Amino acid sequence: MIKDTLDNAEKYFNLSPQIKSALLYLKNTDLKNIEIGRHYLDGDNMYVNVDEYETKISDNIEAHRKYIDIQYIISGEEQMGVSLLKNLTPITEYDEEKDIIFYNGKADLNLVKENEFIIFYPEDAHLPCQMIDKAKKVKKAVVKIKIN
């Protein structure tokens, strides 16, 4: 897991060409005015889901096997939890089509504010969309990068 602001995006360009491309997209796109929905950057290899929602409390920690997530807060703030897979108990079977499996367990919460992102690798189980003290509106972009 990596947490930072887009102001420091260049520090992470050397991780992979896809991460560099994703961070440049987030940095150079008018995300405040982007439409809600899926936007393809490189077909199924890299796309971004933009969503608006109210933060909540949930116990379902998720993980992916095929994609890296870069979760970027466009507006608002939320807590995002992270945990090692080995410390969790699966509560669903892996859904290959949706590339998701849910777990129960404990996650360490991180406050993520506007202009901040977190990169979650497949070994980083995560708990997004968590409210801080009360439900708040958030607009978020999640770039999905397929692992080769």
Side-chain angles (χ1 to χ4, degrees), residues 123-148:
E123 60 271 14
D124 299 323
H126 49 283
L127 182 65
C129 311
Q130 299 298 296
M131 69 181 196
I132 300 163
D133 50 1
K134 62 181 180 176
K136 294 180 185 174
K137 188 173 181 180
V138 170
K139 185 174 184 181
K140 184 195 305 185
V142 179
V143 180
K144 306 288 281 184
I145 302 170
K146 193 170 198 172
I147 298 168
N148 296 325

Side-chain angles (χ1 to χ4, degrees), residues 15-67:
L15 294 175
S16 77
Q18 295 84 0
I19 288 176
K20 177 180 180 180
S21 178
L23 291 172
L24 284 171
Y25 173 83
L26 292 172
K27 196 168 185 169
N28 297 322
T29 302
D30 180 8
L31 296 171
K32 296 263 187 209
N33 295 307
I34 195 169
E35 287 186 34
I36 303 303
R38 182 172 290 188
H39 305 268
Y40 290 95
L41 308 178
D42 183 17
D44 285 338
N45 292 317
M46 185 170 18
Y47 58 91
V48 60
N49 289 322
V50 178
D51 198 9
E52 285 183 323
Y53 53 86
E54 293 278 324
T55 56
K56 61 186 179 202
I57 294 176
S58 173
D59 293 330
N60 293 337
I61 301 169
E62 65 185 63
H64 312 290
R65 295 180 183 168
K66 296 179 188 176
Y67 287 89

Side-chain angles (χ1 to χ4, degrees), residues 1 4 72 79 83 140 142 146:
M1 178 202 89
D4 208 334
Y72 173 72
Q79 294 191 95
S83 185
K140 184 195 305 185
V142 179
K146 193 170 198 172

